Amino acid sequence: MRQIKRCTSCTNCARSVFSELGRDALQLIERGTSANIYRAGNAIFYQGNPPAGIYCVGSGAVALRKRDASSGRDVIVRLRTAGDVLGQRAYFAGEPYDATAEALTDTSVCFIGAAAIEAALSREPKLARRLLERLAGDVSQADAQKLAGRTLDTRARIARLLLELRHRFGTVDDHGVLVIELPLSRQDIAAIVGSRPETVTRCLRSLETDGIAELSGRRVSVPDLDRLFDLVEPDTPDDDVWSRSAG
């Protein structure tokens, strides 16, 4: 089993909202932080539970899932990776979590308790602005996802997702081929794009048949990125799911 290191300092994470805090505020945050390891499939917090603080992802990938009351299915509404914050909307609104956070891969996550957050906000007010910026980004992300769901077919939504995933999970091999190591199962992909797993499987096969992507387990190879872009609307942002906004 691959070893996952616990976070040791917010300054080690360039994308963390806490990484550029002043020394005093950073010490307050780190004294009130506990670092934990979650294995793939473990829940970090549950929908409906009251928040006692906020979380910051150190490494790995986390899905925020909601239960769709009409279909009874889980829907992945957001994905988060290193440096992203989880649970801040619920914490500042004083409301229960509106989604369940689940580790998609082995993941390192820090929990920052309420006392440390409030002390840091008092010491360094600009932290509040950073958190608000991420919340605003979350709203933009949700709007873009809704638009894509209404205007793109399933195959195009899958192509859009692959374009998003390439930023965090893609590498280019010696032949110039983009290789994406998916952190998601076919069922997870279906939950994100709002379709059924069997439909996702058919669409992935069609991408392979058309020579747009090659699939091997959770590895996707894309020999010509432009062909993937051609499947989605040219004005659709390609970084929405991985927005740096809060969970």
Side-chain angles (χ1 to χ4, degrees), residues 6-7 14 31 61 72 88 115 178 180 203 221:
R6 285 182 171 83
C7 297
R31 281 201 296 266
Q88 68 187 60
L178 172 66
I180 305 170
C203 290
S221 300

Side-chain angles (χ1 to χ4, degrees), residues 33-50:
T33 296
S34 58
N36 300 286
I37 302 298
Y38 296 87
R39 297 300 176 187
N42 288 167
I44 299 166
F45 56 76
Y46 290 94
Q47 183 175 347
N49 282 1

